[in-house]
Amino acid sequence: MTLIVRLEDELRQAMVARDAARRDAWRLIRASLRSAEKQRQRPRHDDEQLQVLQRELKRRAEAIEAFRGAGREQQAGAEEAELAVLEEFMPEPLSEEELEEIVDDAIAEVGATSLGDLGRVMADVMPQVSGRADGSVVSQLVREKLA
């Protein structure tokens, strides 16, 4: 079942259950996915849809931080509720050991020996961890391994 189909099903269930918070969160997510499809002028693949969801997760996390910094707890709470709904669709995150194993394999496969090979290693690692690890965490790990 594709991500969009699952999302549509969840939206329907939230509407039947009259769960306004979940319904609204699903509608926002669906709108961002459809907007991304319009930008590309073609349907997105599941991995591309996961990238959109990751972007939305990051936006929610930043919004929570900004609202808390401004003392706006009610808005931060609403963003946290949306974040929790979004996280339901994300695949299980990789453990540190799994991520290190993927990075080590990529370094060996590419034959990387210095930070100059960072881009080649990242190009090999990111498709493997798409949606399951944050790019900045992966980049930091690769930098540590190549240093």
Side-chain angles (χ1 to χ4, degrees), residues 3-18:
L3 191 61
I4 292 280
V5 173
R6 282 181 46 213
L7 185 122
E8 294 284 343
D9 186 47
E10 289 287 335
L11 175 60
R12 230 177 280 110
Q13 289 176 17
M15 290 170 73
V16 168
R18 297 180 190 265

Side-chain angles (χ1 to χ4, degrees), residues 15-74:
M15 290 170 73
V16 168
R18 297 180 190 265
D19 186 347
R22 290 180 66 78
R23 179 199 65 210
D24 293 344
W26 291 129
R27 283 182 175 164
L28 285 171
I29 296 164
R30 182 179 64 178
S32 67
L33 286 169
R34 286 191 174 156
S35 173
E37 283 181 352
K38 285 181 182 179
Q39 287 176 349
R40 293 273 180 144
Q41 297 180 348
R42 65 172 172 79
R44 288 185 169 249
H45 302 290
D46 280 346
D47 60 333
E48 292 173 323
Q49 291 173 352
L50 280 176
Q51 289 173 350
V52 171
L53 290 181
Q54 280 182 310
R55 197 169 41 245
E56 291 298 317
L57 277 171
K58 190 172 183 178
R59 284 182 185 156
R60 298 302 184 284
E62 290 171 355
I64 290 168
E65 188 177 311
F67 284 136
R68 288 246 158 81
R72 299 172 68 186
E73 286 300 317
Q74 186 175 2

